[in-house]
Structures are given as C-alpha cells and as structure tokens.
C-alpha cells in the first residue's frame, strides 16, 4: 500500500506541473489581446451601424442618417485594421470592411456596401 501511495503522489505532482506549464504556454500574447480588443471595438461599431441601417432611410443623401452610418463604418474599418496589424487572423475582416467603405464612398449607396458589412459581421462578430 505504501509503494502505491508513493507512486500516486509523484504522478499527481507531475500532472499538476504539466497542467501549469500548459496554462503558461496557452496565454495569449499582448498583440493577440490587443487584436481581440480592436476586433471587439470594430464589432461594436458594426452593431451600431446595423442598428442605424435598420432605420428608415431618408431620400436625401446629405441627411445626418448617412453621415452617422458612415462614421460607424469608418470606425469599424479603422478598428479592424488595428486588429489586423496586431494579428494576421483579422486581415480578411479588415479587408472586407475596407472594401465596404470604398464601395460606399465610390457609389454613394448602401445597397452594394451592405452585403460586405454583413459578411464582415459574420466573419468575426
């Protein structure tokens, strides 16, 4: 009985130290944490944009409705770019939002930008 107990104790210590070592190696880097925070901020702006787009759209393109929506998109695009600079895993997210912003600026219409906005939300939010 004593020999079994002596074997179990070292095995228990070995398991505990292995788990501790695994926990240390799985800690995300500062860049990864920063990228996640930037992506969260981008997603929050995308949510605000989605809420704005759900409202009735005025016919006048100079209406503050469009200025507000564009600000949300620009903020989301900038935050996604920040995330991509910190972690390559966010590059497609940033590229999609950049294309949406460019589409909006070139066409002055949400109809072509909106599918890209929704795609970006599905990708990372």
């Amino acid at each position: 009985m004593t020999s079994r107990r002596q074997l179990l104790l070292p095995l228990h210590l070995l398991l505990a130290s292995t788990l501790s070592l695994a926990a240390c190696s799985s800690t995300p880097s500062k860049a990864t944490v920063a990228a996640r925070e930037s992506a969260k901020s981008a997603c929050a702006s995308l949510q605000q944009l989605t809420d704005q787009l759900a409202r009735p759209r005025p016919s006048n393109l100079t209406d503050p409705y469009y200025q507000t929506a564009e600000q949300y998109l620009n903020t989301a695009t900038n935050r996604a770019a920040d995330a991509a600079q910190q972690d390559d895993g966010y590059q497609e997210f940033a590229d999609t939002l950049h294309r949406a912003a460019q589409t909006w600026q070139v066409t002055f219409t949400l109809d072509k930008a909106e599918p890209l906005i929704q795609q970006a939300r599905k990708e990372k939010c």
Side-chain angles (χ1 to χ4, degrees):
M1 184 80 166
T2 306
S3 62
R4 258 187 165 183
R5 188 174 205 128
Q6 289 172 343
L7 283 175
L8 289 178
L9 183 60
L11 184 60
H12 174 69
L13 290 174
L14 179 62
L15 181 61
S17 63
T18 302
L19 289 174
S20 176
L21 188 60
C24 290
S25 66
S26 67
T27 302
S29 69
K30 288 182 183 181
T32 300
V33 171
R36 287 179 188 162
E37 290 303 313
S38 292
K40 279 185 198 177
S41 178
C43 288
S45 293
L46 285 177
Q47 182 59 54
Q48 290 175 307
L49 176 59
T50 300
D51 294 345
Q52 180 77 357
L53 296 178
R55 297 174 52 209
R57 295 183 186 167
S59 57
N60 183 357
L61 292 177
T62 61
D63 192 275
Y65 168 94
Y66 293 104
Q67 294 168 352
T68 300
E70 188 173 16
Q71 287 172 349
Y72 292 144
L73 178 57
N74 289 338
T75 300
T77 301
N78 291 336
R79 294 302 154 267
D82 293 344
Q85 284 181 341
Q86 299 292 330
D87 184 335
D88 290 340
Y90 292 97
Q91 190 62 54
E92 187 175 343
F93 179 54
D95 289 346
T96 302
L97 286 174
H98 183 71
R99 282 193 310 277
Q102 282 183 321
T103 299
W104 191 336
Q105 290 171 355
V106 170
T107 64
F108 297 106
T109 179
L110 291 170
D111 295 338
K112 293 184 181 182
E114 204 164 1
L116 293 168
I117 293 164
Q118 297 309 320
Q119 177 186 339
R121 284 192 73 213
K122 288 178 187 173
E123 283 175 11
K124 292 292 181 183
C125 297

